[in-house]
Structure formats: structure tokens, C-alpha cells
Amino acid sequence: MNFLHQIERLQKLNKLIEQERTGTPEELASRLRVKERTLYEILDSIKSLGVVLKYDKKRKTYYYQEGDILQINFKLSVLKNEEIQRVFGGRVIFSRTAFFPQCTKLSLLHH
């Protein structure tokens, strides 16, 4: 599931940035198993949320501006037929067990 892999990658990146141990862009791209160009696209996406993301050349790490936290919430649930009926007002839309991403949320918290 490519989508789940992307969420896991984003969570790993976020953790490394929070811990201020990303390494150089080249090293970080390698850790995330993406090309450097893809890494920069991901970082630009994070910045577009309003996150102030900086890089310290001396320490060789990305870090969030003090007080900023990127919170990533994701929940994936398996719904059985009877649950699908309840969720969709009694109409069975799928005949088999289905996967539904119930919540995808990226948010910026300022302290």
C-alpha cells in the first residue's frame, strides 16, 4: 500500500526533525529511501503548512523553529459489513470487508 508507506515515511521524517538528527539532505534522503529531489518536495510540502523548517550546517540537521510542532494523525480501520451499514445509513455499498482511512490530519501547533 503506497499510501501507507508515504504516511510512515512522513512520520519517520517528522521524528528525525523533532530529534534534530536528520543528517545532511543526502543522508536523510538515503534514510527515507527517496531521491534528494523528492526529499526537497516533501520538505516544501511541510513548509507550505506554515512550519518554519531550518537547516543547521554546523550540526548537519533540519529542525523546527522553537515552539513549532508538526502533528501527524492517521487512523486506518477495517469495517465489517454490519459497520458499513451503520456508517452509511443502512445501505450496503460494499459486499466485502473494506478499508477506510478515517482520519488524515496534518497540523501545525505553536507553543
Side-chain angles (χ1 to χ4, degrees), residues 10-35:
L10 185 58
Q11 289 173 327
K12 182 177 182 177
L13 172 62
N14 186 50
K15 184 176 180 178
L16 290 170
I17 295 171
E18 284 178 346
Q19 295 172 347
E20 298 184 9
R21 46 185 213 104
T22 64
T24 65
E26 184 179 285
E27 292 168 340
L28 181 56
S30 177
R31 287 172 100 172
L32 298 176
R33 297 183 180 179
V34 297
K35 294 181 181 180

Side-chain angles (χ1 to χ4, degrees), residues 84-110:
I84 294 171
Q85 289 175 338
R86 186 172 58 241
V87 171
F88 294 106
R91 298 181 70 198
V92 177
I93 296 176
F94 302 98
S95 60
R96 289 179 270 133
T97 301
F99 289 95
F100 291 94
Q102 291 188 331
C103 175
T104 303
K105 179 181 176 186
L106 295 176
S107 58
L108 172 63
L109 303 177
H110 297 281

Side-chain angles (χ1 to χ4, degrees), residues 2-111:
N2 192 22
F3 176 72
L4 294 178
H5 184 69
Q6 290 174 356
I7 294 293
E8 289 171 355
R9 180 185 299 142
L10 185 58
Q11 289 173 327
K12 182 177 182 177
L13 172 62
N14 186 50
K15 184 176 180 178
L16 290 170
I17 295 171
E18 284 178 346
Q19 295 172 347
E20 298 184 9
R21 46 185 213 104
T22 64
T24 65
E26 184 179 285
E27 292 168 340
L28 181 56
S30 177
R31 287 172 100 172
L32 298 176
R33 297 183 180 179
V34 297
K35 294 181 181 180
E36 221 173 311
R37 178 180 171 157
T38 303
L39 172 65
Y40 288 122
E41 290 171 357
I42 295 168
L43 296 174
D44 285 342
S45 294
I46 291 172
K47 290 176 186 178
S48 73
L49 296 170
V51 176
V52 179
L53 183 61
K54 297 183 177 184
Y55 182 77
D56 186 321
K57 289 181 183 180
K58 187 175 182 178
R59 295 185 299 138
K60 297 181 181 177
T61 188
Y62 285 96
Y63 64 97
Y64 294 126
Q65 176 176 298
E66 190 175 323
D68 283 357
I69 297 172
L70 183 64
Q71 182 179 29
I72 303 168
N73 296 322
F74 177 78
K75 180 180 178 184
L76 182 69
S77 299
V78 176
L79 301 179
K80 306 278 187 210
N81 282 334
E82 56 275 5
E83 293 170 310
I84 294 171
Q85 289 175 338
R86 186 172 58 241
V87 171
F88 294 106
R91 298 181 70 198
V92 177
I93 296 176
F94 302 98
S95 60
R96 289 179 270 133
T97 301
F99 289 95
F100 291 94
Q102 291 188 331
C103 175
T104 303
K105 179 181 176 186
L106 295 176
S107 58
L108 172 63
L109 303 177
H110 297 281
H111 290 288

